[in-house]
Amino acid sequence: MKVAKFGGSSVANAEQLRKVGNIIKADPQRRFIVVSAPGKRFKSDRKITDMLIELGEVHCNNGQTDEYVYPIMQRFNEIVEELNISGEILESISQSIQSILHSKNSDPEKMDALKSIGEDSSAKILSAYLNHIGISAKYVNPQDAGILVSNEPGNAKILPESYEKIYNLRDSEEVLVIPGFFGYTKNGKLITFSRGGSDITGSIVAAGVKAGLYENFTDVDSVFSVNPAFVKDPQKITTLTYKEMRELSYAGFSVFHDEALIPAYKDEIPVCIKNTNNPEAPGTYIVSEKKPSEKCVVGIASDTGFCSIYISKYLMNREIGFGRKLFHILEDEGISFEHAPSGIDDMSIILRESGLPIAKEKKILQRIQADLHPDLISIHRNLAMIMIVGEGLVRTIGLAQKATTAIASANVNIEMINQGSSEVSMMFGIKAEDLDKAVKSLYHVFFE
Amino acid sequence: MKVAKFGGSSVANAEQLRKVGNIIKADPQRRFIVVSAPGKRFKSDRKITDMLIELGEVHCNNGQTDEYVYPIMQRFNEIVEELNISGEILESISQSIQSILHSKNSDPEKMDALKSIGEDSSAKILSAYLNHIGISAKYVNPQDAGILVSNEPGNAKILPESYEKIYNLRDSEEVLVIPGFFGYTKNGKLITFSRGGSDITGSIVAAGVKAGLYENFTDVDSVFSVNPAFVKDPQKITTLTYKEMRELSYAGFSVFHDEALIPAYKDEIPVCIKNTNNPEAPGTYIVSEKKPSEKCVVGIASDTGFCSIYISKYLMNREIGFGRKLFHILEDEGISFEHAPSGIDDMSIILRESGLPIAKEKKILQRIQADLHPDLISIHRNLAMIMIVGEGLVRTIGLAQKATTAIASANVNIEMINQGSSEVSMMFGIKAEDLDKAVKSLYHVFFE
């Protein structure tokens, strides 16, 4: 059996929901459906969740809420009318909103409850629509589904005992439609996950019912092997391992809310990213393991906004505790870094530029100077990182050659290479201005 | 003016000392001479210093010392006779030894005093010989030279006030011959440097007199660009920077006792490694800075005996303090590591195999498992490191390509690349069994 999760664009309006209906109809294995709140219908449109947050903020500041409730109800009304399903749902949505606004709960509790309305309404509407088109379906509230969470408003964590209860959902004969993004504490308080939390619900339900596949429906056919901003019509990735996905998402690929995948990852449930608008496309599979024959370079990820602090000192290598003292200074100044490759008498600290504000730079340099007396210390900004991703990379003779040849032939200097710490990727640091030509050249060598 | 230091093989017998005399005669700039104790004359020979240490150990254990003193005096006797210089020196050496053996000093003090006899006698002999061949020369005791040191027997540290006093040696009209390896505390106690300490004395004197050049005479023509064990007749290095020398000596090149060079390094005094047996050869210069035009790959160093601990964990990158906790475990277990390259969700710890005894392995893996819950942890032994050394390396487009191509064409897989932490070298980790072919191929590409 499959768990299918539909994102915001897949439930944004009646037309999209009809596609969702067809997708569910097409495969009787799709027995557990998790939905997001209605997203944008066009570029300048607003997401229902953003409108609900705004409503909540106005309410908590004692403002007039009517004019904020109206456009939300308007969106739901349009969907319900166009789908030709019972208006009772609208009544129930409106009542839910009003009862939250008039409750005596604390502001954070009200906020979480309001934020959940988008997903909750989506689920009610879809369930009604499925029945309308002849699929026996049922809305299941997360509390009834067994999604028990910690009491951290806006940042709920699943409690382990949930999974046993969720497993019982398998007994249902109907297609179950569950709103994403929230759960309930043991005391019955509604709490939301972090933003993007419908992915989390989907992953939890997939792990709970021990699904054979977790389908994640979005608005793209698949994950691309390189950012289409660099290369026109890049190759699609058919299969990724979890690790490969992690490496890709580090450097510019927003494949997935990767923390969301932990429950599916732990139970080794394969995930498939598919397109609601083109369900025939095979999509991209995320799996625990690949066959050795499938091991190759899957993607080239890249990101800008890195910088490095370079420190050199004669005989640094002999100075016990040099690294520890340096890390202590950084920790003390609240600087978190990504990597710290070290040479014999030198060390580089690679960090996101956002983590080293210009205002802090002087103080940090002074502290390092005063405490560690380096011969040389310098900061290099405007670096970009390129990651060549593929499991089993380090075991391929000639791969580094292929990559460095591609970069050299683009006439780009390599500032940093980091290979070997990861068996999944090889990382190159270059000047940000060279990124476009380096990525193009690498894509050419590995994919064309 | 120049400081010339002659190592053990250069003062091992009369024949060698004649060469030293000629070298000093050939250049009137050679005004400060530092000498080691007589070293080996042939492969199975013994060094005077080792004989003195043995004598000291026997004496401290209340043994009969005569039979240990005799062969030492024999060696000096032979040199003095062959050089045809006054026998008074022998008398003075013998008296020095006896007065140490009969003094009331502590054992460590006696030991240091005995160990200094080799260098001290070399200096007395050479000074007499120089006068004998018509060079006005004078033996200067380190105390008179101003070499003031800390009171750490066998591990003396120079006191900063020494340099001012040493500077006054410039006023002398004569060639000054100073024994290496020891100095005196402010209270007049004789204390030796660590083993190989004549290099230290040479470097101190060079810094003190502000020499234009510090010549270090050994028994090789120059430093080679690669270990001759891998490549027959490799290219000689004409100029090295201090940093390059450090990187080379890390991985198998025992170019120099590099801590010894600190005084010269700090004062940016160029050093020249020359051959007493072939003084016409240009030798290898060690300088602070190279002209940009001279920047290239100077050498390929390599060493075996490395291993790595590989740790991977899904979302490691998000786990604050993961690295710190890992380092803490290692520190706690007394494991010191060389490098810790990190990927997104993984980290490798590179260390010398000697630092991770098999006996400790199990416990460390268990602790890491228990404290950090990684998905995967493994240890890889029998690694070799290759360093391609040359200042300005990271600024050369295509250099990584050249190196990786050389390694791939030797059909060797690269386990690790570390470039960018150092501006002086690029480091490759490979399997130890592949070392020979990888080094040969790299040498071919960079030097042939």
Side-chain angles (χ1 to χ4, degrees):
Chain A
M1 48 188 71
K2 297 177 183 173
V3 171
K5 181 252 162 183
F6 293 89
S9 66
S10 303
V11 296
N13 58 25
E15 187 193 342
Q16 291 299 91
L17 279 162
R18 279 194 203 101
K19 293 179 189 167
V20 171
N22 289 335
I23 288 168
I24 295 169
K25 207 172 194 171
D27 185 349
Q29 289 291 312
R30 291 180 177 131
R31 292 205 13 223
F32 308 95
I33 312 301
V34 174
V35 288
S36 293
K40 291 182 181 183
R41 294 157 299 181
F42 43 86
K43 212 173 168 197
S44 61
D45 198 14
R46 300 186 69 197
K47 294 177 179 179
I48 286 279
T49 305
D50 289 331
M51 295 161 82
L52 288 162
I53 290 170
E54 192 181 35
L55 165 63
E57 280 164 355
V58 169
H59 172 74
C60 295
N61 291 313
N62 304 312
Q64 230 333 316
T65 54
D66 288 358
E67 55 176 305
Y68 293 92
V69 174
Y70 179 76
I72 294 169
M73 290 310 301
Q74 188 78 349
R75 283 279 301 265
F76 287 123
N77 187 39
E78 216 177 279
I79 295 172
V80 167
E81 269 194 4
E82 272 193 54
L83 290 178
N84 212 8
I85 52 176
S86 156
E88 273 171 38
I89 288 170
L90 290 174
E91 198 52 38
S92 123
I93 297 171
S94 172
Q95 265 173 20
S96 298
I97 295 175
Q98 291 309 325
S99 82
I100 295 163
L101 295 179
H102 294 102
S103 82
K104 297 226 159 75
N105 287 336
S106 71
D107 282 353
E109 283 168 8
K110 284 183 179 178
M111 205 67 190
D112 266 28
L114 276 175
K115 275 155 66 184
S116 78
I117 290 290
E119 279 75 8
D120 199 56
S121 307
S122 269
K124 285 173 179 163
I125 291 169
L126 178 61
S127 152
Y129 174 66
L130 289 176
N131 282 300
H132 180 69
I133 60 171
I135 301 168
S136 170
K138 191 171 96 180
Y139 159 85
V140 185
N141 181 277
Q143 191 165 27
D144 300 325
I147 299 175
L148 288 171
V149 298
S150 63
N151 189 6
E152 300 168 78
N155 195 27
K157 302 277 180 298
I158 189 78
L159 301 183
E161 54 262 49
S162 304
Y163 294 106
E164 218 178 299
K165 183 134 191 242
I166 295 168
Y167 186 74
N168 295 329
L169 297 178
R170 290 169 63 108
D171 298 336
S172 165
E173 297 285 316
E174 297 157 299
V175 168
L176 302 181
V177 185
I178 307 161
F181 189 39
F182 64 101
Y184 287 82
T185 64
K186 283 182 187 166
N187 297 327
K189 203 166 22 163
L190 185 159
I191 307 279
T192 63
F193 294 118
S194 56
R195 194 83 198 250
S198 291
D199 282 344
I200 304 182
T201 303
S203 176
I204 289 168
V205 173
V209 302
K210 301 197 185 301
L213 183 65
Y214 168 31
E215 294 179 313
N216 198 292
F217 283 88
T218 62
D219 52 3
V220 291
D221 273 6
S222 65
V223 178
F224 291 114
S225 55
V226 70
N227 187 332
F230 294 112
V231 177
K232 217 183 136 185
D233 265 335
Q235 271 190 33
K236 290 162 186 165
I237 300 178
T238 52
T239 315
L240 272 178
T241 62
Y242 280 102
K243 280 186 184 174
E244 287 170 343
M245 181 209 60
R246 274 284 296 157
E247 305 273 332
L248 287 173
S249 47
Y250 173 72
F253 274 56
S254 62
V255 179
F256 223 105
H257 184 194
D258 48 13
E259 240 162 306
L261 276 195
I262 294 179
Y265 167 78
K266 282 191 175 156
D267 280 6
E268 303 193 357
I269 293 168
V271 178
C272 186
I273 296 173
K274 288 181 79 76
N275 190 352
T276 300
N277 305 312
N278 182 20
E280 303 308 315
T284 298
Y285 279 82
I286 303 169
V287 297
S288 313
E289 262 187 75
K290 273 186 183 178
K291 287 176 218 141
S293 64
E294 292 173 329
K295 288 186 177 173
C296 62
V297 172
V298 297
I300 299 164
S302 59
D303 206 2
T304 55
F306 289 89
C307 63
S308 75
I309 306 176
Y310 174 80
I311 298 160
S312 97
K313 183 177 186 180
Y314 190 69
L315 295 183
M316 179 194 287
N317 176 264
R318 298 268 182 90
E319 201 170 315
I320 292 160
F322 189 95
R324 195 171 36 78
K325 284 180 218 154
L326 179 61
F327 296 155
H328 180 77
I329 294 173
L330 295 174
E331 206 170 324
D332 217 39
E333 297 290 337
I335 305 288
S336 84
F337 61 92
E338 306 280 310
H339 307 284
S342 56
I344 309 310
D345 286 344
D346 38 27
M347 193 170 224
S348 291
I349 307 287
I350 313 287
L351 55 171
R352 301 259 180 191
E353 257 175 314
S354 56
L356 185 68
I358 304 274
K360 268 191 182 172
E361 191 176 305
K362 203 175 155 195
K363 189 175 169 206
I364 285 163
L365 293 185
Q366 277 170 348
R367 278 197 64 178
I368 294 174
Q369 196 72 57
D371 293 6
L372 296 169
H373 312 288
D375 295 338
L376 190 73
I377 175 164
S378 57
I379 290 185
H380 306 266
R381 291 191 174 264
N382 295 315
L383 296 179
M385 293 289 155
I386 302 180
M387 320 244 315
I388 300 178
V389 177
E391 289 228 28
L393 268 188
V394 293
R395 292 191 201 89
T396 320
I397 290 176
L399 190 116
Q401 178 200 4
K402 216 166 156 182
T404 53
T405 302
I407 297 174
S409 72
N411 205 27
V412 170
N413 187 30
I414 299 172
E415 307 280 322
M416 183 197 117
I417 309 179
N418 185 356
Q419 187 225 310
S421 44
S422 167
E423 295 191 346
V424 187
S425 73
M426 194 180 286
M427 196 189 297
F428 295 93
I430 59 169
K431 293 213 171 69
E433 67 208 48
D434 290 332
L435 185 59
D436 186 73
K437 53 185 183 175
V439 170
K440 281 194 171 96
S441 180
L442 283 164
Y443 182 82
H444 178 70
V445 164
F446 284 103
F447 292 99
E448 279 174 358
Chain B
M1 49 188 71
K2 298 177 183 173
V3 172
K5 181 250 161 183
F6 293 90
S9 65
S10 304
V11 296
N13 59 23
E15 188 193 342
Q16 291 300 93
L17 280 161
R18 281 195 201 100
K19 291 179 191 167
V20 171
N22 289 336
I23 289 167
I24 296 168
K25 205 171 195 173
D27 185 350
Q29 289 291 310
R30 292 181 176 129
R31 292 208 11 225
F32 308 94
I33 313 300
V34 174
V35 287
S36 293
K40 293 182 179 183
R41 294 158 297 180
F42 42 88
K43 214 174 167 198
S44 62
D45 198 15
R46 301 188 67 198
K47 294 178 179 178
I48 286 279
T49 304
D50 289 331
M51 295 161 80
L52 288 162
I53 290 171
E54 195 182 31
L55 166 63
E57 280 164 356
V58 169
H59 172 74
C60 294
N61 292 313
N62 303 312
Q64 225 343 308
T65 54
D66 288 357
E67 56 177 304
Y68 294 92
V69 174
Y70 179 75
I72 295 169
M73 289 311 300
Q74 188 80 346
R75 281 280 302 264
F76 288 124
N77 186 40
E78 215 178 281
I79 295 173
V80 167
E81 269 193 5
E82 273 195 53
L83 289 179
N84 211 8
I85 53 179
S86 155
E88 274 171 40
I89 289 170
L90 290 174
E91 199 52 40
S92 122
I93 296 171
S94 173
Q95 266 174 20
S96 297
I97 294 176
Q98 293 307 328
S99 82
I100 295 164
L101 296 178
H102 294 102
S103 81
K104 298 227 159 73
N105 287 335
S106 70
D107 283 354
E109 282 169 8
K110 284 182 179 178
M111 204 67 189
D112 266 27
L114 276 175
K115 274 154 67 185
S116 77
I117 291 289
E119 279 74 9
D120 200 55
S121 309
S122 269
K124 285 174 181 162
I125 292 169
L126 180 60
S127 153
Y129 175 66
L130 290 175
N131 282 301
H132 180 70
I133 60 169
I135 300 169
S136 169
K138 191 172 96 179
Y139 158 85
V140 185
N141 180 279
Q143 191 165 29
D144 299 326
I147 299 177
L148 289 171
V149 299
S150 63
N151 189 5
E152 299 167 79
N155 195 27
K157 302 278 179 297
I158 187 79
L159 302 182
E161 53 264 49
S162 304
Y163 294 106
E164 219 179 298
K165 183 133 192 243
I166 295 168
Y167 187 76
N168 295 330
L169 298 178
R170 290 169 62 108
D171 297 338
S172 163
E173 297 286 317
E174 297 157 299
V175 170
L176 303 181
V177 186
I178 307 162
F181 190 39
F182 64 102
Y184 287 82
T185 65
K186 284 183 187 165
N187 297 328
K189 201 163 27 162
L190 186 158
I191 308 278
T192 63
F193 294 118
S194 56
R195 195 82 199 251
S198 291
D199 282 344
I200 304 181
T201 304
S203 177
I204 289 168
V205 173
V209 302
K210 299 196 186 302
L213 182 65
Y214 169 32
E215 293 180 313
N216 198 292
F217 282 88
T218 63
D219 53 3
V220 291
D221 273 6
S222 65
V223 179
F224 290 114
S225 54
V226 72
N227 188 332
F230 295 112
V231 178
K232 216 184 135 185
D233 264 338
Q235 271 191 33
K236 291 163 185 162
I237 301 178
T238 53
T239 314
L240 273 178
T241 63
Y242 281 101
K243 281 184 185 177
E244 287 169 342
M245 182 210 57
R246 274 284 296 157
E247 306 271 334
L248 286 175
S249 45
Y250 172 72
F253 274 56
S254 63
V255 179
F256 223 105
H257 183 194
D258 48 13
E259 239 162 307
L261 276 194
I262 295 179
Y265 167 77
K266 283 193 176 153
D267 280 8
E268 303 191 357
I269 293 169
V271 177
C272 186
I273 297 173
K274 287 183 78 79
N275 190 353
T276 299
N277 306 312
N278 183 20
E280 303 307 315
T284 298
Y285 280 83
I286 302 169
V287 298
S288 313
E289 261 187 75
K290 273 187 181 177
K291 287 177 216 140
S293 63
E294 291 172 328
K295 289 186 177 174
C296 61
V297 172
V298 297
I300 299 165
S302 58
D303 207 1
T304 54
F306 289 90
C307 63
S308 75
I309 306 175
Y310 174 79
I311 298 160
S312 98
K313 183 177 185 179
Y314 190 68
L315 296 183
M316 180 193 286
N317 174 266
R318 299 267 180 89
E319 201 170 314
I320 292 160
F322 189 95
R324 193 171 38 77
K325 283 179 220 155
L326 179 61
F327 296 155
H328 179 77
I329 294 174
L330 296 174
E331 205 170 324
D332 217 38
E333 296 290 339
I335 306 287
S336 85
F337 61 93
E338 305 280 307
H339 307 284
S342 57
I344 308 311
D345 285 344
D346 37 28
M347 193 169 222
S348 291
I349 307 288
I350 312 287
L351 55 171
R352 301 258 181 193
E353 258 176 313
S354 56
L356 185 67
I358 305 273
K360 266 192 183 173
E361 193 177 303
K362 203 174 154 196
K363 189 176 169 205
I364 285 162
L365 293 185
Q366 277 170 348
R367 278 197 65 179
I368 294 174
Q369 196 72 56
D371 293 7
L372 296 169
H373 313 288
D375 296 337
L376 190 72
I377 175 163
S378 56
I379 290 186
H380 307 267
R381 292 192 173 264
N382 296 314
L383 296 179
M385 294 287 156
I386 302 180
M387 319 242 320
I388 300 177
V389 177
E391 287 228 28
L393 268 190
V394 293
R395 292 190 200 89
T396 320
I397 289 175
L399 189 115
Q401 179 200 2
K402 219 167 153 181
T404 53
T405 302
I407 297 173
S409 72
N411 204 27
V412 170
N413 187 31
I414 300 172
E415 306 281 322
M416 183 198 117
I417 309 179
N418 186 357
Q419 186 225 309
S421 44
S422 166
E423 296 191 346
V424 186
S425 73
M426 194 180 286
M427 195 189 298
F428 295 93
I430 61 170
K431 293 212 171 69
E433 68 208 49
D434 291 333
L435 185 59
D436 186 72
K437 53 185 183 174
V439 170
K440 280 193 172 97
S441 180
L442 283 164
Y443 183 80
H444 177 71
V445 164
F446 283 104
F447 291 100
E448 278 173 359

